[in-house]
């Protein structure tokens, strides 16, 4: 059984890099370039996990996470933030499970975050 990830970032490079990492680990991937596009996609799919950038055009990651948490159908989906730098404020204020910093060892951070959410039996 494959898990479905929704990957939202306005950077094609990040979508490609993180998407390939997840696909190599058995995930199916849907992508969006901003929060508004993600909300449209979420009308037709229910991912097991969502990865989102914070700074994006149209609807940023903060507003997207607020919309996800306000909707009972999406409130329980784990959200991991893909960030270029630490967000202003506390991680808990974003509503995200964890933050992956794009300028550090992304793969090691992704492995750690996924293992905490989907532990191996």
């Amino acid at each position: 059984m494959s898990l479905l990830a929704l990957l939202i970032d306005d950077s094609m490079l990040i979508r490609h890099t993180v998407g390939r990492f997840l696909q190599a680990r058995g995930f199916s991937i849907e992508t969006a370039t901003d929060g508004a596009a993600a909300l449209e996609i979420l009308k037709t799919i229910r991912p097991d996990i969502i990865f989102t950038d914070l700074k994006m055009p149209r609807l940023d990651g903060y507003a997207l996470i607020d919309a996800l948490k306000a909707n009972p159908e999406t409130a329980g989906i784990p959200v991991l933030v893909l960030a270029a730098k630490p967000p202003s404020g506390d991680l808990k204020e974003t509503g995200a499970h964890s933050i992956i910093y794009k300028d550090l060892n992304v793969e090691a951070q992704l492995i750690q975050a996924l293992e905490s959410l989907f532990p191996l039996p």
Side-chain angles (χ1 to χ4, degrees):
M1 178 172 81
S2 177
L3 295 174
L4 176 60
L6 176 57
L7 177 54
I8 309 145
D9 200 300
D10 56 332
S11 165
M12 184 172 57
L13 177 62
I14 294 297
R15 289 192 314 271
H16 177 76
T17 302
V18 175
R20 285 185 51 156
F21 171 88
L22 293 169
Q23 286 175 326
R25 281 148 185 84
F27 281 83
S28 296
I29 307 295
E30 289 288 335
T31 63
T33 57
D34 61 48
L39 290 177
E40 283 300 311
I41 290 169
L42 286 165
K43 291 178 180 177
T44 60
I45 67 166
R46 278 300 164 259
D48 298 290
I49 189 168
I50 296 173
F51 294 84
T52 186
D53 190 8
L54 291 177
K55 296 190 183 232
M56 297 179 289
R58 295 201 305 157
L59 185 69
D60 69 16
Y62 295 103
L64 171 64
I65 293 169
D66 287 346
L68 294 171
K69 298 302 176 187
N71 181 344
E73 292 183 20
T74 57
I77 301 171
V79 176
L80 279 73
V81 168
L82 300 167
K85 59 183 180 179
S88 57
D90 184 8
L91 168 64
K92 290 180 179 149
E93 289 179 19
T94 68
H97 176 270
S98 61
I99 296 180
I100 308 297
Y101 295 104
K102 298 176 188 179
D103 59 346
L104 300 173
N105 185 342
V106 174
E107 189 169 313
Q109 294 177 81
L110 286 167
I111 290 168
Q112 183 178 12
L114 291 174
E115 285 175 352
S116 74
L117 288 166
F118 306 107
L120 294 174

